[in-house]
Amino acid sequence: MTKTRKTEFRPDDFVVYPAHGVGKIVSIEEQEIAGLRLELFVISFEKDKMTLRVPTNKAIDIGMRGLSTPDVVVKALETLKGKARVKRAMWSRRAQEYEQKINSGDLLSIAEVVRDLHRADDQREQSYSERQLYEAALERLTREVAAVSGTDEAGAAKKVDDVLVGRAA
């Protein structure tokens, strides 16, 4: 069973790591760690200037996945058009839920966070923590939209922004 898992991802594939977003597998290497030989995916997150090594046999278990399909991206953009669903819970509880959705790596959940935290120009100002969560979710969303559609991040950001602005109109 572990053999089939190892072949799912190859060098130069874009993958989504739940806690960090979209990265690119640079290579697959073997290293000896604590006396054990491990095969590792070496994933580069260019924007964050970070390299992550993930054991190949643990990649699926931790939630690493390939990029979303174009129809999932379309669903995510449709989600952005919806009306914001803000629960009446305390902010700390909602913030925790938003953080979990962002770190789940699920594109539709991330789109829900962007939708719920988006503020039009005529709405009240966001708090610092609200803005931080919004920007983190927006960045994850635009990176994956860019990678799936094969455009640069600026083009993907414009696409997402057009949907959000169109919703407000």
Side-chain angles (χ1 to χ4, degrees), residues 56-105:
T56 54
N57 59 346
K58 296 280 188 208
I60 304 299
D61 298 339
I62 57 174
M64 195 167 101
R65 64 173 175 81
L67 290 175
S68 297
T69 58
D71 57 307
V72 172
V73 170
V74 168
K75 282 182 191 167
L77 294 176
E78 285 295 316
T79 301
L80 295 179
K81 292 179 185 175
K83 186 165 172 31
R85 294 193 189 111
V86 180
K87 294 180 182 164
R88 295 233 178 261
M90 291 181 62
W91 167 247
S92 59
R93 182 78 192 114
R94 283 185 299 151
Q96 211 172 22
E97 288 176 15
Y98 290 144
E99 189 83 38
Q100 284 175 338
K101 283 184 173 185
I102 293 169
N103 288 331
S104 72

Side-chain angles (χ1 to χ4, degrees), residues 145-158:
V145 169
V148 170
S149 59
T151 60
D152 61 339
E153 276 188 54
K158 174 147 179 38

Side-chain angles (χ1 to χ4, degrees), residues 91 95 99 117 126-135:
W91 167 247
E99 189 83 38
L117 293 178
Q126 286 178 313
S127 70
Y128 177 77
S129 58
E130 212 174 2
R131 194 167 54 252
Q132 293 295 106
L133 285 170
Y134 172 72
E135 288 172 2

Side-chain angles (χ1 to χ4, degrees), residues 11-118:
D12 295 332
D13 282 356
F14 282 98
V15 294
V16 177
Y17 188 84
H20 301 294
V22 177
K24 186 176 188 177
I25 296 179
V26 180
S27 65
I28 299 174
E29 63 183 34
E30 274 197 27
Q31 282 187 350
E32 189 171 322
I33 300 170
L36 297 170
R37 295 228 37 88
L38 286 178
E39 189 177 45
L40 305 165
F41 289 118
V42 179
I43 306 168
S44 172
F45 297 89
E46 199 63 42
K47 186 105 174 181
D48 302 328
K49 294 176 178 46
M50 178 176 74
T51 301
L52 187 67
R53 285 174 173 73
V54 179
T56 54
N57 59 346
K58 296 280 188 208
I60 304 299
D61 298 339
I62 57 174
M64 195 167 101
R65 64 173 175 81
L67 290 175
S68 297
T69 58
D71 57 307
V72 172
V73 170
V74 168
K75 282 182 191 167
L77 294 176
E78 285 295 316
T79 301
L80 295 179
K81 292 179 185 175
K83 186 165 172 31
R85 294 193 189 111
V86 180
K87 294 180 182 164
R88 295 233 178 261
M90 291 181 62
W91 167 247
S92 59
R93 182 78 192 114
R94 283 185 299 151
Q96 211 172 22
E97 288 176 15
Y98 290 144
E99 189 83 38
Q100 284 175 338
K101 283 184 173 185
I102 293 169
N103 288 331
S104 72
D106 176 48
L107 194 63
L108 296 176
S109 295
I110 293 169
E112 288 172 8
V113 174
V114 171
R115 175 196 67 201
D116 293 350
L117 293 178
H118 175 73

